[in-house]
Amino acid sequence: MQISPQGAPNIRQETVTEDVSSTAFIRKLENHLRFTSSERDALQRLTQLNVRNVRSRVTFIEASAPASEISIILSGWACRYKMMPDGRRIIVAFHIPGDVCDFHALLTTAADTATEAMVNAKVSSISRQALGNLTALHPRAGQALWWESLVSASIQREWLVNATRRNASERVAHLLCELHVRQAAIADGAEEALCMPLTQADLGNACGMTTEHTNRTLRDLQKADLIVLDKRVIAIKDPDALVELSGFDPAYLHMQTQKVASARSPGAIAIDKCLNTAEV
Amino acid sequence: MQISPQGAPNIRQETVTEDVSSTAFIRKLENHLRFTSSERDALQRLTQLNVRNVRSRVTFIEASAPASEISIILSGWACRYKMMPDGRRIIVAFHIPGDVCDFHALLTTAADTATEAMVNAKVSSISRQALGNLTALHPRAGQALWWESLVSASIQREWLVNATRRNASERVAHLLCELHVRQAAIADGAEEALCMPLTQADLGNACGMTTEHTNRTLRDLQKADLIVLDKRVIAIKDPDALVELSGFDPAYLHMQTQKVASARSPGAIAIDKCLNTAEV
DNA sequence: CGTACTGTTGATCAAAGTCAATTGAGGTGG
DNA sequence: CCACCTCAATTGACTTTGATCAACAGTACG
C-alpha cells in the first residue's frame, strides 16, 4: 500500500525550488478573517520555505514519526488514514490543496494517523519553531490556523454521521457533495482544481464501505441520473439531486456563504486520476 | 428529547456561586505542559467566573445559538449531538468533567452541534473576550487549549473508526475502554468520579447502533464475563479482556503514559444513573 | 505483451435494523 | 400505602443492507 510507484523506488520525494502557489491555503484561512498584506506575505513566505514533491501513493507522514512540523498541501490530493491491528486501512480524511494535513503534529505525543499522497503532490512543511515565530509576530495568523483545525474537527464529526446514519447511496452522495464544495472553494477558475483524483476504493473506504458495494452504489447513482461514470471518471450530473438525496447541508464546513453558493453552480466535476500524470 | 425534567419546567438553569472545582480541567490541560502557579491561578479564576447548574437532559448549548463563549464541564456528563433532518439524533461526543465541550464556539460561523447534560451538571462558561485576555497574558494556556481541541479531534477520528470498522461487541467494548481511561485520568480518588451516567440508548447511539442491539450486545459481553449488568449499572469486570477484544490502544487520547497506566488498575467501574439524583 | 491496478458482476450470507410487545424500577400524587 | 406514569431495559420474530467470496474485464505502463 505505501509502496513507491514504479520507476523511482528510491527517490520518494525531492525538494523543489520552483514557484508554487499557496493561495489556496491563504484563501482558506481567510474564510475566518481578512489578513493584512503583511500577514499574507508572512504566510506566503512561510509556506514556500520548505516544499517537496511527493509521488502518488507515497505515505509522506508516518504515524509513528516524531512530528516537528505541520504539512500543507499545495497541489494534489492526500488522504489521512489509520491502520487497524489486522492491517486494514481506514481513511479518516481527504486533504485538498490549501489543507493542513497534520495539525496533530503540534501535540507532543505520537501521531495516530498517517498521510498518503493520492496523486503526485506538492507539500509544504512548516516547523513548529517557524510556526511559533509566525504566531508570535502575527497572532491573527495563529488564530486562523486554530480555527482551521476546528473546521477539520467539524468535518470529522460529519463523517461520523455520514458513515453511521446514512445508507450507501446517501453516504457516497454526501461525500461527493462535500468534496464538490470544498473543491469549488479553493478553485480559481483553473480546471485542474476541479479534478478529483479518487479511486472507487478510496471513496468507499472513506464511507466505510467495501469496494464492491461502492461500485454498485455508483452504478445506482448513475441509473438515477445523478452522476455519470465513464472509464475512471465520475462526473456529477445533477448536483442539486445529490444534495437532496444525501441531505447535504454545508454548514459544517464553516465557509463563507458565497463560497458555498459558488459550488451550487451547474457543471459536472470529474473525479478521476487526471493528476496522476502531473509533473513531478 | 430536550424536554425539561419534571418539577422545574421553567427553571432550566441557575447561576451558582458556591465553591466548584476546576481541577479536572487544569489537570487535563497539564497533560500537555506544566503550568506555573500564576497560570494555574488565572485558569482557576477564569473557570469560576461564570458557573451554572444544568439539569439532566437539558440541552444547554443549542446548535443555532450565536456562540460567544466556550463551556467547560465541571461536574456531571454531557453529550454533543447532531440532528438529522428527519429528527434522529446522533451523539458525536461524550464530555466528562474537565472537558471543553464547544471549541467550535470560537468559530465565527454557526455551530453545527448541540450539547445536552446527561445528568445534573455544573458548567463553566468563558467568554471569547475573557479567553482572549487569558491567551494574551498567558500564551501557554492558550496553547494548551488548542492542544486540547486537537485531542478532541483525535477522539473524533477514532470514533469514526470504531463505528465503521468494528462489530457491535468491539464497538461497545472500545467505547467502554475509552471512557474508563478518560474517567480514570481525571479521577482524584473520589468514587463519584468513577460513576458513568450512560443509558444503553446513549451508549448505542454513540456507537451507531440501535438500542435493542446495544442491549443484546451488552448481554453477550456479560455472558463472556467481561462486564456485569445489574439493574441500570454496567460494571466492567475484566478490563484487560475488553482491551483485547476491542483492540483498544489509548495512544489516540494523547495522555501522559502514567495516566493511561493508572486506568489499567483493577476494579470495576459502574455506568449508571447515579449522578441523576445529585445536588442541583 | 505481461504485470498490476482498478473496476465489474454474481451468488451467498450474516450482522444489525425494524417492528412489536412486555417487564421493571423509580417517582408522583392522592 | 397504593394506583399510576414514564422511561429504560428486554425479548422475540422477521427483514434488509451491505459484507464476503470468487471470478473476470479493462487500462496503463514498462
Side-chain angles (χ1 to χ4, degrees), chain B residues 147-188:
Chain B
W147 286 345
E148 195 50 37
S149 75
L150 294 177
V151 172
S152 282
S154 178
I155 293 175
Q156 200 66 74
R157 280 194 295 275
E158 187 60 39
W159 277 39
L160 177 68
V161 174
N162 200 39
T164 58
R165 306 304 158 97
R166 287 193 258 262
N167 66 29
S169 312
E170 292 165 356
R171 277 185 227 180
V172 170
H174 196 276
L175 186 52
L176 290 179
C177 288
E178 174 187 311
L179 294 174
H180 184 170
V181 170
R182 285 170 59 189
Q183 184 78 285
I186 57 156
D188 50 353

Short mmCIF file of all heavy atoms in Angstrom, two decimals, chain B residues 147-188:
data_model
loop_
_atom_site.label_atom_id
_atom_site.label_comp_id
_atom_site.label_asym_id
_atom_site.label_seq_id
_atom_site.Cartn_x
_atom_site.Cartn_y
_atom_site.Cartn_z
N TRP B 147 -4.21 22.59 22.00
CA TRP B 147 -3.85 21.17 22.03
C TRP B 147 -5.03 20.32 22.46
O TRP B 147 -5.28 19.26 21.90
CB TRP B 147 -2.66 20.98 22.98
CG TRP B 147 -1.37 21.46 22.38
CD1 TRP B 147 -1.15 21.76 21.07
CD2 TRP B 147 -0.14 21.72 23.05
NE1 TRP B 147 0.15 22.18 20.89
CE2 TRP B 147 0.79 22.16 22.08
CE3 TRP B 147 0.29 21.61 24.38
CZ2 TRP B 147 2.11 22.49 22.40
CZ3 TRP B 147 1.60 21.94 24.70
CH2 TRP B 147 2.49 22.38 23.71
N GLU B 148 -5.74 20.82 23.45
CA GLU B 148 -6.87 20.06 23.94
C GLU B 148 -7.91 19.88 22.82
O GLU B 148 -8.53 18.82 22.70
CB GLU B 148 -7.49 20.79 25.14
CG GLU B 148 -8.43 19.98 25.98
CD GLU B 148 -7.87 18.62 26.39
OE1 GLU B 148 -6.65 18.51 26.68
OE2 GLU B 148 -8.64 17.66 26.40
N SER B 149 -8.07 20.91 22.01
CA SER B 149 -9.02 20.79 20.90
C SER B 149 -8.52 19.77 19.87
O SER B 149 -9.32 19.09 19.22
CB SER B 149 -9.28 22.15 20.24
OG SER B 149 -8.19 22.56 19.43
N LEU B 150 -7.21 19.66 19.74
CA LEU B 150 -6.66 18.67 18.81
C LEU B 150 -6.88 17.25 19.33
O LEU B 150 -7.11 16.31 18.56
CB LEU B 150 -5.16 18.92 18.58
CG LEU B 150 -4.81 20.23 17.86
CD1 LEU B 150 -3.30 20.40 17.76
CD2 LEU B 150 -5.43 20.29 16.47
N VAL B 151 -6.84 17.11 20.65
CA VAL B 151 -7.11 15.79 21.24
C VAL B 151 -8.57 15.41 20.98
O VAL B 151 -8.88 14.27 20.63
CB VAL B 151 -6.80 15.79 22.75
CG1 VAL B 151 -7.27 14.49 23.39
CG2 VAL B 151 -5.32 15.99 23.00
N SER B 152 -9.47 16.39 21.13
CA SER B 152 -10.88 16.14 20.82
C SER B 152 -11.04 15.63 19.40
O SER B 152 -11.80 14.68 19.14
CB SER B 152 -11.69 17.44 20.94
OG SER B 152 -11.95 17.73 22.27
N ALA B 153 -10.32 16.26 18.49
CA ALA B 153 -10.41 15.86 17.09
C ALA B 153 -9.89 14.44 16.91
O ALA B 153 -10.42 13.66 16.12
CB ALA B 153 -9.62 16.82 16.21
N SER B 154 -8.85 14.11 17.64
CA SER B 154 -8.28 12.77 17.55
C SER B 154 -9.29 11.73 18.03
O SER B 154 -9.44 10.66 17.44
CB SER B 154 -7.00 12.70 18.38
OG SER B 154 -6.45 11.41 18.35
N ILE B 155 -9.98 12.05 19.11
CA ILE B 155 -11.00 11.14 19.63
C ILE B 155 -12.11 10.97 18.59
O ILE B 155 -12.60 9.88 18.35
CB ILE B 155 -11.57 11.67 20.96
CG1 ILE B 155 -10.48 11.63 22.04
CG2 ILE B 155 -12.80 10.87 21.39
CD1 ILE B 155 -10.88 12.24 23.37
N GLN B 156 -12.45 12.07 17.95
CA GLN B 156 -13.48 12.03 16.92
C GLN B 156 -13.10 11.08 15.79
O GLN B 156 -13.92 10.32 15.29
CB GLN B 156 -13.67 13.46 16.37
CG GLN B 156 -14.98 13.67 15.68
CD GLN B 156 -16.14 13.57 16.64
OE1 GLN B 156 -16.36 14.45 17.43
NE2 GLN B 156 -16.86 12.48 16.58
N ARG B 157 -11.84 11.14 15.40
CA ARG B 157 -11.36 10.23 14.35
C ARG B 157 -11.49 8.78 14.78
O ARG B 157 -11.93 7.93 14.00
CB ARG B 157 -9.88 10.52 14.04
CG ARG B 157 -9.63 11.69 13.14
CD ARG B 157 -8.19 11.69 12.61
NE ARG B 157 -7.20 11.89 13.66
CZ ARG B 157 -6.82 13.08 14.11
NH1 ARG B 157 -7.37 14.18 13.62
NH2 ARG B 157 -5.91 13.18 15.04
N GLU B 158 -11.12 8.52 16.02
CA GLU B 158 -11.19 7.14 16.50
C GLU B 158 -12.63 6.66 16.55
O GLU B 158 -12.92 5.49 16.29
CB GLU B 158 -10.53 7.01 17.87
CG GLU B 158 -10.40 5.58 18.38
CD GLU B 158 -9.56 4.68 17.47
OE1 GLU B 158 -8.55 5.16 16.93
OE2 GLU B 158 -9.94 3.51 17.28
N TRP B 159 -13.55 7.56 16.85
CA TRP B 159 -14.97 7.17 16.86
C TRP B 159 -15.42 6.77 15.47
O TRP B 159 -16.25 5.87 15.32
CB TRP B 159 -15.82 8.33 17.39
CG TRP B 159 -15.88 8.41 18.89
CD1 TRP B 159 -14.86 8.16 19.76
CD2 TRP B 159 -17.03 8.73 19.70
NE1 TRP B 159 -15.29 8.32 21.04
CE2 TRP B 159 -16.62 8.68 21.03
CE3 TRP B 159 -18.35 9.08 19.41
CZ2 TRP B 159 -17.48 8.95 22.10
CZ3 TRP B 159 -19.21 9.35 20.45
CH2 TRP B 159 -18.78 9.28 21.79
N LEU B 160 -14.89 7.45 14.47
CA LEU B 160 -15.23 7.08 13.09
C LEU B 160 -14.77 5.66 12.81
O LEU B 160 -15.50 4.84 12.27
CB LEU B 160 -14.59 8.05 12.09
CG LEU B 160 -14.81 7.74 10.61
CD1 LEU B 160 -16.26 7.94 10.23
CD2 LEU B 160 -13.91 8.60 9.72
N VAL B 161 -13.54 5.37 13.19
CA VAL B 161 -13.00 4.02 13.02
C VAL B 161 -13.86 3.03 13.80
O VAL B 161 -14.26 1.98 13.29
CB VAL B 161 -11.54 3.94 13.52
CG1 VAL B 161 -11.04 2.50 13.49
CG2 VAL B 161 -10.65 4.84 12.69
N ASN B 162 -14.18 3.39 15.01
CA ASN B 162 -14.94 2.49 15.88
C ASN B 162 -16.27 2.12 15.26
O ASN B 162 -16.63 0.95 15.16
CB ASN B 162 -15.17 3.17 17.23
CG ASN B 162 -15.51 2.19 18.34
OD1 ASN B 162 -14.95 1.10 18.40
ND2 ASN B 162 -16.44 2.56 19.20
N ALA B 163 -16.98 3.14 14.79
CA ALA B 163 -18.34 2.91 14.29
C ALA B 163 -18.36 2.22 12.93
O ALA B 163 -19.34 1.57 12.58
CB ALA B 163 -19.09 4.23 14.21
N THR B 164 -17.26 2.36 12.16
CA THR B 164 -17.32 1.81 10.81
C THR B 164 -16.57 0.50 10.64
O THR B 164 -16.87 -0.25 9.73
CB THR B 164 -16.76 2.81 9.77
OG1 THR B 164 -15.40 3.14 10.09
CG2 THR B 164 -17.59 4.07 9.74
N ARG B 165 -15.58 0.23 11.47
CA ARG B 165 -14.78 -0.95 11.20
C ARG B 165 -14.78 -1.99 12.30
O ARG B 165 -14.04 -2.96 12.23
CB ARG B 165 -13.31 -0.56 10.92
CG ARG B 165 -13.17 0.46 9.83
CD ARG B 165 -13.80 0.01 8.53
NE ARG B 165 -14.09 1.18 7.70
CZ ARG B 165 -13.31 1.63 6.72
NH1 ARG B 165 -12.21 0.99 6.45
NH2 ARG B 165 -13.64 2.70 6.03
N ARG B 166 -15.56 -1.77 13.35
CA ARG B 166 -15.60 -2.80 14.38
C ARG B 166 -17.02 -3.32 14.49
O ARG B 166 -17.97 -2.60 14.18
CB ARG B 166 -15.12 -2.22 15.72
CG ARG B 166 -13.61 -1.99 15.74
CD ARG B 166 -13.09 -1.73 17.15
NE ARG B 166 -12.83 -0.32 17.37
CZ ARG B 166 -11.64 0.26 17.27
NH1 ARG B 166 -10.58 -0.46 16.97
NH2 ARG B 166 -11.50 1.54 17.47
N ASN B 167 -17.17 -4.56 14.91
CA ASN B 167 -18.51 -5.10 15.06
C ASN B 167 -19.11 -4.63 16.40
O ASN B 167 -18.44 -3.96 17.18
CB ASN B 167 -18.51 -6.62 14.93
CG ASN B 167 -17.77 -7.29 16.06
OD1 ASN B 167 -17.70 -6.77 17.17
ND2 ASN B 167 -17.20 -8.44 15.79
N ALA B 168 -20.34 -5.00 16.62
CA ALA B 168 -21.07 -4.47 17.77
C ALA B 168 -20.34 -4.65 19.10
O ALA B 168 -20.18 -3.69 19.86
CB ALA B 168 -22.46 -5.11 17.83
N SER B 169 -19.87 -5.85 19.39
CA SER B 169 -19.20 -6.10 20.67
C SER B 169 -17.94 -5.26 20.78
O SER B 169 -17.66 -4.67 21.83
CB SER B 169 -18.82 -7.57 20.81
OG SER B 169 -19.90 -8.40 20.48
N GLU B 170 -17.18 -5.23 19.70
CA GLU B 170 -15.93 -4.48 19.73
C GLU B 170 -16.19 -2.99 19.93
O GLU B 170 -15.48 -2.32 20.68
CB GLU B 170 -15.17 -4.70 18.42
CG GLU B 170 -14.64 -6.12 18.24
CD GLU B 170 -14.21 -6.42 16.82
OE1 GLU B 170 -14.39 -5.57 15.92
OE2 GLU B 170 -13.70 -7.54 16.58
N ARG B 171 -17.22 -2.50 19.26
CA ARG B 171 -17.56 -1.07 19.40
C ARG B 171 -17.87 -0.70 20.83
O ARG B 171 -17.32 0.25 21.37
CB ARG B 171 -18.83 -0.76 18.59
CG ARG B 171 -18.60 -0.50 17.15
CD ARG B 171 -19.89 -0.08 16.50
NE ARG B 171 -20.09 -0.81 15.26
CZ ARG B 171 -21.13 -0.67 14.46
NH1 ARG B 171 -22.10 0.16 14.79
NH2 ARG B 171 -21.21 -1.35 13.35
N VAL B 172 -18.76 -1.48 21.42
CA VAL B 172 -19.16 -1.18 22.80
C VAL B 172 -17.96 -1.32 23.72
O VAL B 172 -17.70 -0.46 24.56
CB VAL B 172 -20.30 -2.11 23.23
CG1 VAL B 172 -20.57 -1.98 24.72
CG2 VAL B 172 -21.56 -1.80 22.43
N ALA B 173 -17.20 -2.40 23.53
CA ALA B 173 -16.03 -2.63 24.38
C ALA B 173 -15.03 -1.48 24.25
O ALA B 173 -14.48 -0.99 25.24
CB ALA B 173 -15.36 -3.96 24.02
N HIS B 174 -14.84 -1.04 23.02
CA HIS B 174 -13.87 0.03 22.78
C HIS B 174 -14.30 1.33 23.46
O HIS B 174 -13.51 2.01 24.10
CB HIS B 174 -13.69 0.27 21.28
CG HIS B 174 -12.47 1.06 20.92
ND1 HIS B 174 -12.44 2.44 20.94
CD2 HIS B 174 -11.23 0.67 20.56
CE1 HIS B 174 -11.23 2.85 20.60
NE2 HIS B 174 -10.48 1.80 20.36
N LEU B 175 -15.58 1.62 23.34
CA LEU B 175 -16.07 2.85 23.97
C LEU B 175 -15.97 2.76 25.49
O LEU B 175 -15.59 3.73 26.16
CB LEU B 175 -17.52 3.12 23.54
CG LEU B 175 -18.13 4.44 24.00
CD1 LEU B 175 -17.23 5.61 23.65
CD2 LEU B 175 -19.50 4.64 23.39
N LEU B 176 -16.27 1.59 26.04
CA LEU B 176 -16.13 1.42 27.49
C LEU B 176 -14.68 1.63 27.92
O LEU B 176 -14.41 2.29 28.92
CB LEU B 176 -16.61 0.02 27.91
CG LEU B 176 -18.12 -0.25 27.81
CD1 LEU B 176 -18.45 -1.67 28.24
CD2 LEU B 176 -18.91 0.75 28.67
N CYS B 177 -13.76 1.11 27.12
CA CYS B 177 -12.34 1.29 27.44
C CYS B 177 -11.98 2.78 27.42
O CYS B 177 -11.31 3.28 28.33
CB CYS B 177 -11.47 0.55 26.44
SG CYS B 177 -11.49 -1.24 26.61
N GLU B 178 -12.43 3.46 26.39
CA GLU B 178 -12.08 4.88 26.28
C GLU B 178 -12.60 5.65 27.47
O GLU B 178 -11.88 6.44 28.09
CB GLU B 178 -12.66 5.48 24.99
CG GLU B 178 -12.45 6.99 24.91
CD GLU B 178 -13.16 7.65 23.73
OE1 GLU B 178 -13.03 7.15 22.60
OE2 GLU B 178 -13.83 8.68 23.95
N LEU B 179 -13.87 5.43 27.80
CA LEU B 179 -14.46 6.17 28.90
C LEU B 179 -13.78 5.82 30.21
O LEU B 179 -13.55 6.68 31.07
CB LEU B 179 -15.96 5.88 28.96
CG LEU B 179 -16.74 6.40 27.74
CD1 LEU B 179 -18.19 5.95 27.79
CD2 LEU B 179 -16.65 7.91 27.63
N HIS B 180 -13.42 4.56 30.35
CA HIS B 180 -12.70 4.09 31.53
C HIS B 180 -11.40 4.89 31.71
O HIS B 180 -11.13 5.44 32.77
CB HIS B 180 -12.42 2.60 31.36
CG HIS B 180 -11.76 1.95 32.55
ND1 HIS B 180 -11.61 0.59 32.65
CD2 HIS B 180 -11.21 2.45 33.66
CE1 HIS B 180 -11.00 0.30 33.79
NE2 HIS B 180 -10.74 1.42 34.41
N VAL B 181 -10.64 4.97 30.65
CA VAL B 181 -9.33 5.64 30.72
C VAL B 181 -9.51 7.14 30.94
O VAL B 181 -8.82 7.75 31.77
CB VAL B 181 -8.52 5.39 29.43
CG1 VAL B 181 -7.27 6.26 29.39
CG2 VAL B 181 -8.13 3.92 29.34
N ARG B 182 -10.43 7.75 30.19
CA ARG B 182 -10.62 9.20 30.34
C ARG B 182 -11.09 9.51 31.75
O ARG B 182 -10.65 10.50 32.37
CB ARG B 182 -11.64 9.70 29.32
CG ARG B 182 -11.10 9.79 27.91
CD ARG B 182 -12.18 10.07 26.88
NE ARG B 182 -12.91 11.30 27.13
CZ ARG B 182 -14.00 11.67 26.47
NH1 ARG B 182 -14.49 10.88 25.52
NH2 ARG B 182 -14.60 12.80 26.73
N GLN B 183 -11.97 8.68 32.24
CA GLN B 183 -12.50 8.86 33.58
C GLN B 183 -11.40 8.75 34.62
O GLN B 183 -11.28 9.57 35.53
CB GLN B 183 -13.57 7.77 33.80
CG GLN B 183 -14.30 7.84 35.10
CD GLN B 183 -15.36 8.92 35.07
OE1 GLN B 183 -15.06 10.11 35.14
NE2 GLN B 183 -16.59 8.52 34.98
N ALA B 184 -10.59 7.71 34.46
CA ALA B 184 -9.52 7.47 35.44
C ALA B 184 -8.53 8.63 35.46
O ALA B 184 -7.95 8.97 36.49
CB ALA B 184 -8.80 6.16 35.13
N ALA B 185 -8.34 9.25 34.30
CA ALA B 185 -7.34 10.32 34.19
C ALA B 185 -7.74 11.57 34.97
O ALA B 185 -6.88 12.36 35.36
CB ALA B 185 -7.11 10.67 32.72
N ILE B 186 -9.03 11.76 35.17
CA ILE B 186 -9.43 12.95 35.91
C ILE B 186 -9.85 12.63 37.33
O ILE B 186 -10.10 13.52 38.13
CB ILE B 186 -10.62 13.67 35.21
CG1 ILE B 186 -11.80 12.71 35.07
CG2 ILE B 186 -10.21 14.25 33.88
CD1 ILE B 186 -13.12 13.42 34.96
N ALA B 187 -9.92 11.35 37.64
CA ALA B 187 -10.36 10.95 38.98
C ALA B 187 -9.29 11.29 40.00
O ALA B 187 -8.10 11.17 39.74
CB ALA B 187 -10.65 9.45 39.00
N ASP B 188 -9.71 11.74 41.15
CA ASP B 188 -8.73 12.02 42.20
C ASP B 188 -9.07 11.19 43.42
O ASP B 188 -9.05 11.65 44.54
CB ASP B 188 -8.69 13.51 42.53
CG ASP B 188 -10.08 14.06 42.77
OD1 ASP B 188 -11.05 13.31 42.54
OD2 ASP B 188 -10.20 15.22 43.18
#
